[in-house]
Amino acid sequence: MLDPSLIKEIKRIVSISIMVHACVGHFIEAQILAAIGVNYIDDSEAIALADEDNFINKQNFRCPLFVGVKTTVKC
């Protein structure tokens, strides 16, 4: 995960929505990202199985979590 202070700085500088990748199943990481105010969380991995045991329970979050978002830039 990126340093939360770096994410906060990016949010302060830009005026677009921020989507950050959380590792599959790392619910604490997703909670931290939600707490610092990212707009979207990507909970996907190309090699992970698509089942309830591997992914974050999305019902516990106010910001949207996505699975399967294709990105061209990796942090």
Side-chain angles (χ1 to χ4, degrees):
M1 182 174 91
L2 287 174
D3 181 0
S5 62
L6 178 60
I7 296 171
K8 287 180 183 179
E9 183 67 14
I10 292 169
K11 280 185 53 71
R12 188 184 66 75
I13 294 170
V14 301
S15 61
I16 60 172
S17 296
I18 303 293
M19 176 182 275
V20 180
H21 175 78
C23 295
V24 171
H26 291 210
F27 66 93
I28 299 293
E29 182 179 2
Q31 289 175 331
I32 292 168
L33 294 171
I36 61 176
V38 299
N39 301 98
Y40 306 97
I41 299 173
D42 173 19
D43 173 34
S44 64
E45 280 296 330
I47 60 172
L49 298 174
D51 62 31
E52 294 297 321
D53 294 331
N54 288 323
F55 291 95
I56 298 167
N57 181 354
K58 290 150 189 61
Q59 306 302 323
N60 299 332
F61 293 88
R62 288 187 173 176
C63 68
L65 276 84
F66 294 95
V67 175
V69 175
K70 301 269 186 204
T71 59
T72 56
V73 177
K74 289 283 184 180
C75 296

